[in-house]
């Protein structure tokens, strides 16, 4: 049953739209939480497959970054899932994938830094909670922890 589900997932043409509607714009926290837990569970259970679901989901999730509204309050689960999947990335055979950071990760980090810099100030009073900024910072941290060699790349951008 899981194999059949994965083949449907891999061929699903509206995956990005489902992610946007389910994790980014859905006003019901319980629905977003269930999707987060479901995607995370599938990725953990099938992490050793020849084609892990993370390899399909993570690129789609990262493409959704462009669609995030800077005032959104419904992005916590999205960022939690992205950070979880980045953390699941297995180390290379020689144990040092730090020097093999894909160019796409460098580009993603540059885009994140730009998004953080240009993000409007939303937390102006105690109790305000800028879910988008917190998510962007958490994602940036997760990438830097996963790919420490990118710190040198990001450092000069200050």
């Amino acid at each position: 049953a899981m194999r059949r589900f994965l083949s449907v997932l891999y061929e699903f043409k509206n995956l990005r739209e489902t992610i946007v509607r389910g994790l980014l714009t859905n006003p019901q926290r319980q629905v977003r939480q269930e999707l987060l837990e479901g995607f995370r569970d599938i990725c953990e259970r099938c992490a050793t497959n020849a084609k892990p679901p993370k390899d399909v989901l993570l690129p789609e999730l990262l493409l959704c970054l462009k669609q995030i509204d800077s005032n959104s309050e419904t992005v916590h689960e999205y960022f939690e899932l992205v950070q979880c999947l980045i953390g699941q990335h297995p180390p290379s055979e020689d144990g040092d994938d730090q020097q093999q950071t894909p160019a796409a990760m460098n580009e993603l980090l540059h885009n994140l830094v730009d998004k953080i810099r240009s993000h409007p100030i939303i937390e102006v009073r105690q109790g305000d909670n800028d879910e988008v900024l917190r998510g962007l910072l958490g994602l940036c941290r997760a990438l830097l922890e996963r790919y420490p060699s990118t710190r040198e790349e990001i450092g000069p951008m200050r």
Side-chain angles (χ1 to χ4, degrees):
M2 184 60 81
R3 189 174 295 146
R4 194 169 68 231
F5 173 78
L6 289 177
S7 67
V8 169
L9 177 69
Y10 296 156
E11 295 173 15
F12 188 53
K13 303 262 186 265
N14 297 320
L15 182 58
R16 193 173 316 142
E17 182 181 333
T18 301
I19 290 169
V20 169
R21 285 186 171 176
L23 284 174
L24 286 175
T25 62
N26 193 310
Q28 297 179 357
R29 184 174 181 89
Q30 184 174 352
V31 171
R32 295 190 317 268
Q33 191 64 38
E34 290 293 331
L35 276 170
L36 163 66
E37 291 172 13
F39 281 138
R40 188 172 32 208
D41 185 49
I42 291 166
C43 290
E44 288 172 1
R45 285 185 190 203
C46 304
T48 59
N49 283 22
K51 184 177 182 181
K54 175 192 81 63
D55 291 352
V56 173
L57 285 173
L58 187 56
E60 292 294 329
L61 285 162
L62 292 174
L63 286 171
C64 292
L65 265 173
K66 299 172 188 168
Q67 296 177 308
I68 293 178
D69 174 23
S70 59
N71 294 315
S72 179
E73 296 177 4
T74 60
V75 295
H76 176 79
E77 293 79 10
Y78 164 82
F79 281 113
E80 186 175 334
L81 180 59
V82 173
Q83 291 173 45
C84 173
L85 297 183
I86 288 170
Q88 285 182 4
H89 180 73
S92 64
E93 293 295 318
D94 61 7
D96 182 24
D97 63 340
Q98 312 309 336
Q99 303 307 317
Q100 301 171 12
T101 305
M105 287 303 157
N106 280 333
E107 182 180 340
L108 175 60
L109 278 166
H110 282 278
N111 289 338
L112 282 172
V113 169
D114 289 342
K115 279 181 126 0
I116 291 167
R117 282 183 178 158
S118 65
H119 189 74
I121 296 172
I122 294 175
E123 293 183 352
V124 292
R125 285 183 226 90
Q126 185 176 2
D128 288 349
N129 189 8
D130 188 342
E131 289 288 343
V132 174
L133 182 59
R134 290 172 188 237
L136 291 170
L137 290 169
L139 179 52
C140 198
R141 183 188 68 238
L143 285 167
L144 290 170
E145 286 174 357
R146 188 70 203 125
Y147 302 101
S149 63
T150 57
R151 290 175 191 219
E152 294 171 13
E153 178 77 22
I154 296 301
M157 293 175 47
R158 292 183 184 161

